[in-house]
Amino acid sequence: MAHYLSPFFLDVKKPLTAELAERCPAGRGGFAKHANSLESWATRRRPACVRFFGVDSQHSSKRIAVIPGDGIGQEVIPQALNVIRATGAAVEFTEFDWGADRYLRDGTTVPPDGFAMLARDFDAIFAGAFGDPRVKTNIHAKEILLGMRFQMDLYANVRPVRLLDSALCPLKNVEPKDVDFVVIRENTEGVYGDLGGVFKKGTPDEIATQEDINTRKGVERIIRYAFEYCHRHTKQDGSPRRSVLMCDKSNAMTHAGGLWQRAFKEVAVEFPKITTQHMYVDALCMQVVRDPRQFDVVVTNNMFGDIITDLAAALQGGLGMAASGNIHPGRTSMFEPVHGSAPPIAGKNLANPFGAILTAAMMLAHLGLTSESEKIEAVVLEAVRQKKGTQDIGGTLGTREAGQWVTERVCL
Ligand code: ATP
């Protein structure tokens, strides 16, 4: 376990220039090169520098567990951490090496008591991505990621779908105001519990079953979460959110669908000012592409939420732009970009860090650090507009350079 914060404490006895050169989160090379010219600036701006390095954290600091994980998670998470530090947010980072490398080294996926420790000792968890071609079973990813979701009961997967700039959307004549909805995905049940089995494996009579778990408690609480989210949140332009749409496939999956339908109608009664809608998942996929303006808050099960949000990410500029939170109100929650570990582009400085950076903003907002969160979002928006991003969103920068561009402007 390495502590992120401690290396960034400023040593007050050292010349500030040396501190800047050695410890600048925007890249040692970046500030070291300009260290001399920075000396007088830094001396005058010492309080701001202290803020820059995120070292003014006192007892009220939010404690964040960082798990970069595998593949591009290891590239995008450090960029997002630099951006958080640059806001001066009162946070402390503690990094964990859970992921494929650790699993291949000593067989550990999650250390004993790992989830209890996260829940006990941290205010939030910031995770990258899990999955590595060297681990064919993907067991570590399952135990770490699904373990956090299931064992910490992070039942609401909140995935905002927001278009920052028209140029990022593959649809014609669609502006940022037209794509501003949120998908609330049930995160602890459905087909992801891996219940089922295989009978007569490898024979022509083989039977495979995959159970779809839907509990009254699980369905009702995610639907209520969606209504409460709608009630409490506004759209980007400040206008109120007004409608909750429940998405299922109740015409074919009648038993589970019936429970979702009944729970939706019952919970809706508690929120008379919120409009309700319903769509089958196939129709919803078509409508998301045909006219995304009609969506506000969408609530759905684990699998449909997974699929819909990959589709919806395409409206935002791709997987590299999408943020998410795994939330249980009142408990330690976990924040991760929507994308996975993307092995084909890992280690090449190609991954878009903005999904992770926007996820960091989402986490800070959740922790009550609203102005820091808004600052980050504003700078990412500016980066997208100025094409200071990676190739997947029409830019020319690498992962590190795009992250650094945002870090330096957040600091201003
Ligand atoms: P998982 O199932 O683990 O969520 P996935 O199958 O959805 O993963 P990803 O690993 O997210 O797949 O990536 C699929 C492809 O999307 C990548 O190979 C890459 O081309 C693209 N991609 C994903 N994330 C990014 C990113 N941050 N920047 C650029 N491209 C990305």
Side-chain angles (χ1 to χ4, degrees):
M1 186 171 37
H3 288 272
Y4 260 118
L5 180 72
S6 48
F8 288 93
F9 272 116
L10 282 179
D11 179 350
V12 289
K13 293 185 203 119
K14 251 190 186 176
L16 196 52
T17 313
E19 287 289 343
L20 283 167
E22 284 176 19
R23 300 177 181 210
C24 177
R28 283 155 204 250
F31 261 112
K33 262 195 300 192
H34 306 294
N36 287 339
S37 57
L38 274 167
E39 172 134 36
S40 60
W41 171 84
T43 307
R44 278 183 277 120
R45 296 283 307 273
R46 184 152 192 127
C49 290
V50 172
R51 275 199 330 109
F52 180 89
F53 291 104
V55 293
D56 57 345
S57 319
Q58 301 293 327
H59 290 307
S60 61
S61 287
K62 300 292 182 188
R63 298 152 307 166
I64 299 174
V66 180
I67 316 176
D70 305 327
I72 63 170
Q74 295 187 2
E75 296 172 80
V76 297
I77 293 300
Q79 297 309 318
L81 295 182
N82 286 342
V83 172
I84 297 175
R85 288 189 191 102
T87 66
V91 294
E92 295 171 17
F93 300 123
T94 304
E95 184 178 346
F96 296 90
D97 64 357
W98 305 354
D101 287 340
R102 172 81 185 269
Y103 174 68
L104 291 169
R105 201 166 60 242
D106 66 11
T108 304
T109 55
V110 178
D113 201 37
F115 297 125
M117 177 271 301
L118 291 176
R120 186 184 61 233
D121 297 343
F122 293 94
D123 297 299
I125 304 158
F126 189 38
F130 302 92
D132 186 307
R134 293 172 299 166
V135 184
K136 298 275 178 265
T137 58
N138 215 24
I139 179 74
H140 72 295
K142 213 159 133 185
E143 291 195 5
I144 300 167
L145 188 59
L146 294 186
M148 274 190 280
R149 290 177 181 171
F150 291 176
Q151 296 197 36
M152 299 177 77
D153 201 25
L154 306 177
Y155 69 86
N157 192 341
V158 178
R159 297 187 160 189
V161 183
R162 274 171 31 204
L163 176 63
L164 296 186
D165 190 87
S166 309
L168 296 185
C169 188
L171 304 181
K172 276 184 290 185
N173 304 323
V174 169
E175 297 172 36
K177 68 174 172 45
D178 300 327
V179 181
D180 184 0
F181 61 97
V182 59
V183 178
I184 311 278
R185 164 189 175 191
E186 202 295 318
N187 214 21
T188 56
E189 301 190 347
V191 295
Y192 289 69
D194 207 20
L195 292 160
V198 180
F199 183 49
K200 298 185 182 175
K201 192 171 180 179
T203 74
D205 297 324
E206 181 166 347
I207 298 168
T209 61
Q210 196 81 43
E211 301 292 343
D212 179 17
I213 305 299
N214 298 265
T215 68
R216 176 80 204 192
K217 174 184 158 189
V219 173
E220 196 177 305
R221 71 180 177 176
I222 194 66
I223 289 172
R224 183 167 287 104
Y225 185 94
F227 276 98
E228 278 167 2
Y229 185 98
C230 183
H231 177 64
R232 292 210 184 110
H233 289 78
T234 56
K235 293 192 168 197
Q236 275 306 101
D237 63 7
S239 64
R241 293 206 174 271
R242 296 180 196 282
S243 100
V244 176
L245 183 153
M246 196 271 280
C247 167
D248 64 18
K249 186 65 185 165
S250 53
N251 50 351
M253 301 163 77
T254 54
H255 309 299
L259 171 57
W260 279 79
Q261 291 278 348
R262 278 180 280 118
F264 187 60
K265 287 199 181 83
E266 286 168 28
V267 175
V269 173
E270 298 168 27
F271 299 87
K273 291 193 182 142
I274 296 176
T275 309
T276 58
Q277 291 172 271
H278 170 260
M279 268 186 205
Y280 297 128
V281 64
D282 43 355
L284 183 135
C285 289
M286 183 183 68
Q287 293 297 337
V288 161
V289 175
R290 207 185 64 78
D291 182 12
R293 295 170 191 87
Q294 61 190 296
F295 297 103
D296 194 344
V297 177
V298 175
V299 62
T300 191
N301 72 20
N302 209 337
M303 184 169 67
F304 297 157
D306 191 3
I307 296 167
I308 292 166
T309 51
D310 264 29
L311 172 66
L315 304 182
Q316 298 169 265
L319 279 170
M321 293 299 295
S324 84
N326 299 261
I327 294 168
H328 185 127
R331 293 197 195 168
T332 302
S333 294
M334 186 265 284
F335 296 81
E336 51 164 349
V338 170
H339 64 74
S341 59
I345 60 166
K348 297 179 178 163
N349 200 34
L350 289 173
N352 183 348
F354 291 169
I357 293 171
L358 291 168
T359 300
M362 194 177 174
M363 176 174 68
L364 294 183
H366 178 84
L367 293 171
L369 300 165
T370 319
S371 63
E372 290 88 343
S373 167
E374 286 171 356
K375 176 83 188 181
I376 293 173
E377 290 189 348
V379 176
V380 172
L381 175 61
E382 200 46 45
V384 169
R385 284 188 180 145
Q386 291 194 34
K387 298 213 179 307
K388 299 293 181 187
T390 43
Q391 290 169 20
D392 56 308
I393 54 167
T396 55
L397 301 182
T399 310
R400 286 188 293 276
E401 293 72 24
Q404 189 164 341
W405 197 94
V406 175
T407 301
E408 285 169 1
R409 274 142 195 93
V410 162
C411 190
L412 294 176

